[in-house]
Amino acid sequence: KIFWGRQYLTLEFFQLLAKSDFLDNLCFLCARPKSSGETLSSADVIAGTFNIVKNGVFYGRYWGCLEEIKNLHFETCYWAPIE
């Protein structure tokens, strides 16, 4: 697979983002197996997304996963953010 986001979603990008006012317009979500328990550990994360949000409207999304699981993309990128 080609991982396009890796070209510009770098550690430097996220460090700059953390210092910006734009941070208020982001919705980050991580997916992990139910079996990982109550405590979130970065080792448990199998997928994630972030969306740009303005006035309650979601624009675009950036998605990545470490495991291919049926419906995980839909659940993480669309269903969970709506909730």
Side-chain angles (χ1 to χ4, degrees):
K1 288 187 174 186
I2 299 173
F3 301 100
W4 295 102
R6 289 187 182 176
Q7 295 175 10
Y8 50 88
L9 299 177
T10 63
L11 176 60
E12 181 183 13
F13 168 81
F14 286 103
Q15 289 171 335
L16 291 170
L17 186 62
K19 297 176 186 176
S20 76
D21 293 333
F22 194 72
L23 193 59
D24 293 335
N25 296 81
L26 298 177
C27 174
F28 284 87
L29 290 155
C30 293
R32 63 192 178 110
K34 288 181 180 180
S35 62
S36 60
E38 295 293 321
T39 305
L40 178 61
S41 168
S42 61
D44 296 329
V45 174
I46 57 172
T49 186
F50 72 92
N51 297 278
I52 301 162
V53 184
K54 187 172 181 182
N55 298 325
V57 178
F58 281 70
Y59 297 94
R61 54 138 177 75
Y62 293 89
W63 150 263
C65 67
L66 300 174
E67 295 181 27
E68 296 289 332
I69 298 173
K70 184 178 178 181
N71 299 323
L72 182 61
H73 178 262
F74 176 79
E75 178 70 27
T76 306
C77 293
Y78 300 102
W79 186 252
I82 291 170
E83 290 182 331

